[in-house]
Amino acid sequence: MRKGPVIAAVAVAAVVVGFGAYMIDFDVTDEGALPDVDVAVEGGEMPEVEADVGSIDVGTKEETVEVPDVDVEVDTKEAEVTLPDIEVTPPEDDKG
């Protein structure tokens, strides 16, 4: 089993998870209210929340890299490999 692609996939997944908190912007538009506490308890009110979520475009692109030539000698040659291509677009910040 090749370890290189597995390590690359794990690294890409870690980067995507790392940006997870960065990619969501919550704006609380109406504060919630706790219930009145007395002998008779009335229900509370949940806050209204708007969530702007960023987008991630994952694709591939062709790159030329040097790889070792499998031989007794340690020569290198160029080969085409497919690399992950990630575009991260965070949500717009309307707080200006």
Side-chain angles (χ1 to χ4, degrees):
M1 183 165 113
R2 293 185 172 172
K3 293 182 183 178
V6 174
I7 292 172
V10 170
V12 168
V15 169
V16 169
V17 170
F19 281 120
Y22 171 72
M23 295 299 297
I24 299 175
D25 182 23
F26 289 103
D27 293 324
V28 178
T29 59
D30 182 26
E31 293 185 16
L34 295 175
D36 294 332
V37 179
D38 54 5
V39 176
V41 176
E42 296 178 14
E45 183 179 319
M46 295 296 294
E48 293 181 19
V49 176
E50 293 180 8
D52 294 329
V53 179
S55 64
I56 297 177
D57 294 328
V58 179
T60 60
K61 61 181 179 180
E62 296 294 324
E63 289 287 333
T64 302
V65 296
E66 289 187 8
V67 296
D69 185 12
V70 181
D71 205 355
V72 175
E73 299 175 15
V74 183
D75 293 332
T76 60
K77 65 178 181 179
E78 290 187 356
E80 294 285 327
V81 295
T82 302
L83 300 175
D85 183 24
I86 299 174
E87 292 182 27
V88 176
T89 307
E92 298 285 328
D93 187 13
D94 296 333
K95 297 177 184 172

